[in-house]
Amino acid sequence: MDGDESPTNWERRTHEMRSTVYVDYVHGSEDVRIRITPPENTADGGHALDVTLFPYTESSESYDVRAVASRDCAERIAREFIDLFDGAYDGPGGDGGGGTTLEGAATYALQRTRPTEAVGTDVPSRDS
């Protein structure tokens, strides 16, 4: 897949702020966003990846995925998160057929894309 090509259910958006380019992948539901923050705007000088559930709302919650040295690696991890999320997500509300909720799919993808020491951190559900 080309670096500027978006996965099927996702839109790739770029934002330029003060000569710095951010890359967002936004799920078609608009309920999940993965952001790649360039090194100029991170404390450790790496490309930071974070995921936000319900972005642009009062209920938004952001979670660090990881920081990496190269843009290519950040893009690869973002696409890995997307593939894992899409494979687990059952759609809004689920159908009760054993699929996974948005929060569950995000937790699943986070557990598999975070560095080893971060595994086991759950995304809280709206019901908690």
Side-chain angles (χ1 to χ4, degrees):
M1 181 179 304
D2 184 307
D4 289 335
E5 187 179 324
S6 294
T8 307
N9 297 326
W10 297 75
E11 180 182 345
R12 186 178 194 272
R13 302 175 184 169
T14 57
H15 306 278
E16 189 169 337
M17 296 180 210
R18 292 183 237 143
S19 74
T20 301
V21 178
Y22 293 83
V23 175
D24 290 347
Y25 287 94
V26 181
H27 188 263
S29 67
E30 300 276 330
D31 289 341
V32 183
R33 178 189 71 203
I34 301 165
R35 172 165 282 177
I36 300 172
T37 303
E40 298 85 18
N41 291 16
T42 62
D44 64 3
H47 294 267
L49 282 90
D50 66 73
V51 63
T52 302
L53 303 182
F54 314 108
Y56 320 112
T57 70
E58 291 179 15
S59 302
S60 74
E61 297 177 27
S62 291
Y63 303 91
D64 293 332
V65 178
R66 67 193 305 172
V68 295
S70 76
R71 168 97 180 235
D72 289 342
C73 186
E75 289 278 352
R76 182 186 56 74
I77 292 168
R79 289 173 185 277
E80 183 180 334
F81 181 96
I82 288 167
D83 289 344
L84 290 163
F85 178 88
D86 283 348
Y89 186 45
D90 194 33
D95 67 0
T100 305
T101 63
L102 183 129
E103 291 90 348
T107 296
Y108 175 79
L110 278 169
Q111 288 175 339
R112 283 151 184 84
T113 54
R114 280 184 166 167
T116 306
E117 65 272 5
V119 171
T121 304
D122 287 335
V123 174
S125 74
R126 290 171 141 184
D127 301 331
S128 298

